[in-house]
Amino acid sequence: MSTYNISEIVQQLRQVRDQWREQQNRTDQSHREFPSRDAIAHAVDALKGALYPLRLGPPDLRHAGEDFYVGHTLDTALQALQTQALTELQYRQRGEGQPAHEIAAQAQQAVLTFARNLPSLRRLLDTDVLAAFQGDPAARSVDEVVLSYPGVLALIHHRIAHVFYQLQLPLLARIISELAHGQTGIDIHPGAQIDAGFFIDHGTGVVIGETTVIGRNVRLYQAVTLGAKRFPKDAQGHLQKGWARHPIVQDDVVIYAGATILGRVTIGQGAVIGGNVWVTDDVPAGAHVSQASLQQAHHVAHVQTATAHAVV
């Protein structure tokens, strides 16, 4: 007899699970409902090795064996991702009566499309690696950047996740993004659109929302938030989803540590956003925004309002 009365706890936990499933209208338990976080993590680690074999692949790999390793690794990783994609599609389409062979074909086509995107994804990641190397005076080589920079790790995950997000596999994409979030403290929603040459320096605490649009050659520092200003609700009081609510950051923008930019505002090309500022309005191209400039603008607005009242 167990000291902890395990059988009773098991029974009570089953009752809680059954109650939850009944509330969520989940009665079909004939197959696994959800993608496996562990299986996705293994597949993504394999993809990272296939993308950068001599840097993120096995330690005993040599140049002569690259193609064999990449081919074998890709085949294994893509098969695993197809299984997880199928599981997500089955979960989303449960109860709709779609034939199983159609769902399987949809999963296969999605992963095939992803596979065909891998060369362009590698080229895009190379622009991020170069941006990190060229933008950080402490970086001694591109190899150091790939092997150790959290911003680059987060971007590898994001570039992979964003393709799956575009392929209508949001749960798979979100898990891939959250794996990097847990390792780096950088939270990039897989829906965010990020152009080439993106660099996140240091990185911890960076948050980039789902509908954010980021142009070319943008640089962020730690604790930057590109977030939503408000969350409107529908008539039933539920949060409305899917609408554009995050910033647009145009090309060549630099955003320093601790800055918070909220809402569907546009940060114009070449603008510089100083540290620890709070931005909720558009910023023109080439502008420099700092705490001092915001305080000055607030003071001018206050004087203009007071003058207008005096005239009236």
Side-chain angles (χ1 to χ4, degrees):
M1 173 68 72
S2 169
T3 303
Y4 305 105
N5 198 3
I6 295 297
S7 60
E8 181 178 348
I9 298 172
V10 168
Q11 182 180 6
Q12 292 173 351
L13 285 172
R14 186 181 69 248
Q15 291 172 350
V16 174
R17 291 195 307 272
D18 289 344
Q19 182 181 15
W20 168 257
R21 288 166 179 162
E22 183 178 354
Q23 290 172 348
Q24 301 299 316
N25 195 27
R26 296 174 182 170
T27 57
D28 179 13
Q29 302 299 316
S30 59
H31 54 77
R32 181 182 176 91
E33 281 194 281
F34 313 107
S36 164
R37 186 181 176 94
D38 288 343
I40 293 171
H42 286 304
V44 172
D45 282 343
L47 286 177
K48 289 185 286 189
L51 287 166
Y52 291 97
L54 292 181
R55 294 164 180 157
L56 303 180
D60 57 347
L61 182 64
R62 298 296 179 265
H63 189 274
E66 271 187 303
D67 284 348
F68 177 81
Y69 164 75
V70 170
H72 174 74
T73 301
L74 275 182
D75 186 59
T76 302
L78 294 172
Q79 291 291 342
L81 288 170
Q82 182 173 324
T83 299
Q84 300 311 310
L86 175 60
T87 303
E88 176 173 350
L89 290 172
Q90 289 172 333
Y91 160 68
R92 279 171 38 205
Q93 297 171 11
R94 65 189 186 278
E96 295 183 4
Q98 184 176 3
H101 72 276
E102 290 185 4
I103 300 176
Q106 188 177 348
Q108 183 181 49
Q109 183 58 49
V111 177
L112 178 60
T113 301
F114 169 78
R116 289 171 175 166
N117 273 278
L118 282 170
S120 59
L121 190 149
R122 164 63 201 254
R123 283 191 288 269
L124 185 57
L125 283 168
D126 284 346
T127 70
D128 302 325
V129 171
L130 284 174
F133 173 65
Q134 294 169 354
D136 185 1
R140 297 179 180 272
S141 68
V142 291
D143 303 302
E144 176 187 355
V145 167
V146 174
L147 287 167
S148 63
Y149 275 40
V152 171
L153 174 61
L155 259 293
I156 293 173
H157 277 249
H158 175 74
R159 300 296 191 194
I160 293 170
H162 185 65
V163 177
F164 282 111
Y165 183 89
Q166 292 177 311
L167 292 169
Q168 306 301 311
L169 290 165
L171 182 54
L172 182 57
R174 191 60 182 263
I175 291 172
I176 293 170
S177 291
E178 291 301 328
L179 289 168
H181 183 194
Q183 294 179 58
T184 66
I186 298 170
D187 182 2
I188 309 176
H189 192 285
Q193 301 176 48
I194 302 176
D195 212 330
F198 185 53
F199 176 35
I200 304 175
D201 200 358
H202 304 295
T204 305
V206 166
V207 177
I208 301 175
E210 178 184 18
T211 62
T212 302
V213 179
I214 297 176
R216 297 177 67 89
N217 303 320
V218 170
R219 189 190 333 161
L220 306 186
Y221 288 83
Q222 67 271 22
V224 166
T225 297
L226 303 178
K229 183 178 180 181
R230 58 190 179 87
F231 302 95
K233 298 180 180 180
D234 60 22
Q236 288 72 43
H238 302 136
L239 289 179
Q240 296 181 14
K241 300 178 184 290
W243 55 284
R245 59 200 181 277
H246 299 102
I248 298 171
V249 180
Q250 295 183 344
D251 298 350
D252 304 310
V253 169
V254 179
I255 305 176
Y256 284 99
T260 298
I261 304 173
L262 301 181
R264 195 59 164 184
V265 299
T266 297
I267 309 301
Q269 182 174 356
V272 176
I273 308 299
N276 298 311
V277 300
W278 185 279
V279 178
T280 56
D281 296 303
D282 291 344
V283 174
H288 287 233
V289 177
S290 65
Q291 290 186 355
S293 67
L294 289 175
Q295 290 170 356
Q296 182 178 7
H298 177 74
H299 175 71
V300 169
H302 178 74
V303 170
Q304 289 175 340
T305 301
T307 302
H309 287 166
V311 170
V312 172

